[in-house]
Amino acid sequence: MKLRIDGATLRLRLMPDDVRRLADAGSVTDTMPVGPGAALTLGLTTGDALGVTLADHVLTIRVPTVWAERWATGDDAPLDGTVDAGEGRTLAVRVEPDGACRHDGA
């Protein structure tokens, strides 16, 4: 997974393995160490609606199950939406499969 944050916009790009794991298990996680004894975990799960939560150093993005199923069948359409960020604010969210892009371990 590749995460990009730009102000109140969050973009998540999924590698083909991420799409398969999301379809098979309903979730994908990746953890990045950020210092001694500290880490940030990025989680992607399926559910009824688009959502974003942050708790205990875990940023979780929830996508509708139907989108995970579409991506698993080869549909590469991105999911765009907004979520309520509280206090009258919104967060723009884009989740997109990166099936057309091939990586050599980088």
Side-chain angles (χ1 to χ4, degrees):
M1 292 186 288
K2 295 180 182 179
L3 177 65
R4 174 183 277 171
I5 299 170
D6 183 12
T9 301
L10 183 149
R11 178 180 170 200
L12 184 64
R13 296 179 75 191
L14 306 176
M15 300 298 104
D17 285 345
D18 300 325
V19 172
R20 281 189 290 277
R21 289 192 325 234
L22 183 63
D24 291 345
S27 66
V28 180
T29 60
D30 199 359
T31 300
M32 175 182 70
V34 293
L40 174 65
T41 297
L42 174 61
L44 178 66
T45 64
T46 58
D48 293 334
L50 181 64
V52 177
T53 59
L54 176 64
D56 299 323
H57 308 285
V58 179
L59 176 64
T60 302
I61 302 163
R62 186 181 61 249
V63 297
T65 303
V66 66
W67 279 88
E69 293 167 351
R70 288 175 56 179
W71 294 328
T73 63
D75 187 338
D76 63 356
L79 169 61
D80 288 299
T82 58
V83 297
D84 182 356
E87 299 175 357
R89 300 173 298 173
T90 59
L91 175 66
V93 179
R94 180 179 183 98
V95 182
E96 58 189 339
D98 197 13
C101 185
R102 298 293 178 242
H103 300 273
D104 298 321

